[in-house]
Amino acid sequence: MKGPLAALLCLSLLFSAITVSAQFVKTKDLEKMKKRTRILVVKEKPDKKILKQLARSSTEMANAYKQAIKQLNQDFPEAVRQFWTVNDNATIEVRTEKEIEKIRKKNDRSSIVMDCQSLHVKPGVKSRYSKFTRTYTSALVWEKDSKDLSIPVINMTFIENDLQYPFYIQNMSDRFPDFVDLAVGLRLATFVFNEQLDGKSSTILQKEIKHNAVLMKGKTLVLCKEWLDETFEAKTAKQDYPYPIRYVNQEELEGLIRKDVYDSTVVAYVPAGVFSTFDRNAPSMEVHVPVVFDPVNGMPLCHSDISDQMFQAWGFSLIPRMGKTVVGFKKIRNEDIRNFAKSINEGEEIDITQSIK
């Protein structure tokens, strides 16, 4: 019983972690989105409370935070211009929240607002159980509170709506977002939108993801050295993985993505998701699932297996004060490489079975 249930949980969370933290876009929202001609990227500003707290500890930390916000304001619009292809002819503008509010008051209906926020999940006030939970976003978190887990996300909102009610939320890794995270997030989101615009339902997409790994055949797997577990062994990975592996540092990976020419490669990434538990004492669960995606179009190809951890986590969340808060693996391990290779073989078996039928 454990195997099928755990696998189901893992697949469900994987699809959320790879594509969208909230839900698929409604058909009416897709139609609205296609007609939008302007993308407004919110210009972030350092949070005064965070700055004050950091300054008490270290001027260096406060300066690092301000520099991170400055870099984000440079990277975000660049990534949108390069990787957001759903509205091909849309103009990209950087605006402050006050400027966006003024545009909203003019009854504008031509814009989509993109904003980097932190996604939280907390239980509702009436019950401790997950069906009463609420998901909300707030200003980007710099240092995360272990009791209030959150992950960075890209919020997409129609200009006429309140920023608290996005029509789409795209998650990234659990790091403060850099250019790579923003680019990967936008490409993954673009894949979902394009597939839905082609008429594919969420059910069809979830079925397809089970055997997309066959598309990894013959392609070089790109691994970022900074994302590898400290116990990772390149020699073992070479033995376990049937195709070439290319190791790059984060700067090289960013250069590869900015150039946007991949020469028959696929990229490993570790997106994060945040979900509710049944434990009021630990209401949020942060989930990390190493995945491989196609950098050309954002198609998710396969994922590692964290089903055992998921099964245990959901079991613990039913027991007060035992809820697990972090599930999965933030770094890529040799076991993940073996799981990627296994997915390719399973995808081939599915293709053979379907061809026989």
Side-chain angles (χ1 to χ4, degrees):
M1 182 67 181
K2 176 184 137 180
L5 177 58
L8 181 62
L9 286 170
C10 186
L11 179 62
S12 175
L13 288 170
L14 156 78
F15 201 70
S16 296
I18 292 179
T19 54
V20 58
S21 301
Q23 58 185 358
F24 279 80
V25 184
K26 298 176 182 177
T27 302
K28 64 177 183 179
D29 287 339
L30 277 173
E31 295 301 319
K32 284 172 62 176
M33 185 187 66
K34 286 193 297 183
K35 298 175 182 178
R36 300 295 160 121
T37 58
R38 183 165 62 165
I39 308 295
L40 302 179
V41 179
V42 177
K43 183 178 181 179
E44 300 292 336
K45 62 179 182 179
D47 187 289
K48 291 182 180 179
K49 290 183 179 179
I50 294 177
L51 269 178
K52 189 175 181 179
Q53 291 173 351
L54 292 175
R56 288 173 182 170
S57 303
S58 165
T59 302
E60 185 177 333
M61 291 176 64
N63 290 336
Y65 170 62
K66 288 191 287 187
Q67 180 58 38
I69 295 293
K70 181 179 179 181
Q71 189 64 47
L72 176 65
N73 286 330
Q74 178 180 319
D75 290 341
F76 196 9
E78 285 184 13
V80 173
R81 290 188 182 98
Q82 185 171 355
F83 297 102
W84 183 253
T85 58
V86 180
N87 305 80
D88 286 329
N89 299 318
T91 58
I92 313 297
E93 301 176 18
V94 179
R95 300 280 186 163
T96 64
E97 290 185 0
K98 288 184 178 180
E99 289 173 331
I100 290 174
E101 187 58 34
K102 289 180 180 179
I103 295 172
R104 181 179 289 111
K105 289 179 179 179
K106 293 179 181 179
N107 200 30
D108 178 276
R109 291 293 187 276
S110 65
S111 304
I112 293 172
V113 179
M114 291 194 184
D115 188 15
C116 276
Q117 296 262 299
S118 286
L119 178 70
H120 307 257
V121 176
K122 281 191 174 182
V125 294
K126 294 182 180 180
S127 172
R128 61 185 290 181
Y129 297 105
S130 61
K131 66 179 180 179
F132 290 98
T133 60
R134 57 192 176 95
T135 300
Y136 67 96
T137 57
S138 65
L140 268 176
V141 173
W142 178 246
E143 291 184 344
K144 296 196 298 183
D145 183 350
S146 60
K147 295 181 180 179
D148 182 17
L149 300 180
S150 66
I151 59 167
V153 296
I154 299 173
N155 267 6
M156 301 183 192
T157 313
F158 294 120
I159 183 69
E160 64 270 23
N161 297 337
D162 191 291
L163 290 175
Q164 294 184 11
Y165 301 100
F167 67 88
Y168 190 85
I169 299 175
Q170 176 61 54
N171 51 347
M172 299 174 279
S173 73
D174 72 328
R175 301 179 298 272
F176 191 88
D178 58 16
F179 183 84
V180 171
D181 289 311
L182 295 163
V184 172
L186 288 165
R187 184 135 283 178
L188 291 172
T190 299
F191 172 77
V192 174
F193 282 122
N194 286 335
E195 292 295 288
Q196 283 196 264
L197 287 170
D198 286 341
K200 291 185 179 180
S201 66
S202 60
T203 303
I204 292 174
L205 283 174
Q206 291 189 56
K207 286 181 179 179
E208 288 182 348
I209 199 174
K210 294 180 182 180
H211 54 89
N212 282 349
V214 71
L215 300 176
M216 295 165 61
K217 288 178 61 177
K219 294 185 177 180
T220 298
L221 175 63
V222 176
L223 296 178
C224 181
K225 296 174 184 177
E226 286 87 341
W227 300 349
L228 300 179
D229 188 80
E230 60 183 13
T231 63
F232 186 92
E233 295 182 355
K235 183 179 179 180
T236 302
K238 185 177 181 179
Q239 294 172 345
D240 292 335
Y241 196 73
Y243 305 110
I245 298 177
R246 176 184 174 187
Y247 295 93
V248 298
N249 59 35
Q250 196 146 355
E251 184 178 346
E252 291 169 331
L253 179 60
E254 180 177 327
L256 180 69
I257 289 176
R258 284 184 183 275
K259 190 177 179 182
D260 209 14
V261 177
Y262 302 100
D263 299 325
S264 191
T265 61
V266 292
V267 179
Y269 185 67
V270 187
V274 61
F275 303 90
S276 62
T277 71
F278 296 101
D279 186 353
R280 177 179 286 176
N281 299 291
S284 299
M285 179 193 300
E286 193 174 288
V287 181
H288 305 266
V289 188
V291 304
V292 177
F293 73 98
D294 187 336
V296 174
N297 59 14
M299 176 187 287
L301 300 173
C302 74
H303 63 93
S304 191
D305 183 5
I306 65 166
S307 55
D308 283 344
Q309 281 221 340
M310 282 307 310
F311 186 84
Q312 294 172 20
W314 282 106
F316 281 140
S317 74
L318 293 169
I319 306 172
R321 302 185 184 281
M322 286 190 68
K324 296 187 72 171
T325 55
V326 179
V327 179
F329 306 95
K330 295 185 179 183
K331 297 284 188 176
I332 297 170
R333 309 157 299 148
N334 283 107
E335 186 175 346
D336 300 319
I337 303 301
R338 287 191 286 272
N339 285 326
F340 297 158
K342 181 181 177 182
S343 295
I344 296 174
N345 293 332
E346 290 175 348
E348 289 178 329
E349 291 173 2
I350 291 174
D351 277 3
I352 292 172
T353 302
Q354 290 179 343
S355 64
I356 293 174
K357 290 180 180 180

